[in-house]
Amino acid sequence: MKTYTIRELADRFNLNISTLRYYEEIGLLTEVEHQADRRIYNEYHCDQLRAIECFKATGMTNKEIQSFFKYETADPQNLVQIIELLTNHVDETARYKN
């Protein structure tokens, strides 16, 4: 599996290194491997960042994204909570457009 340094991942997604550290700190980027004080990222993290970018493009807050990831990874039965979260976000987005 391909791995990335923090600099490579930041460059790939046009983000600041501090943003990646922050995402890890608040739990948006999870399961980051640490080797000799270096972070090691892989395609799983690229997928997480793609999802984060997608959600942010719709105006979703970090807290909403945290909830989505928490529901997604906790239990497949959380589908109802995921749908509620996304439905509420769509409703909020539509309200601001009008």
Side-chain angles (χ1 to χ4, degrees), residues 6-7 10 15-26 29 39 41:
I6 195 167
R7 166 57 52 210
L15 296 170
N16 292 322
I17 288 174
S18 60
T19 300
L20 294 176
R21 288 184 181 129
Y22 177 68
Y23 285 172
E24 185 179 346
E25 180 182 319
I26 65 171
L29 277 179
R39 290 169 168 85
Y41 300 94

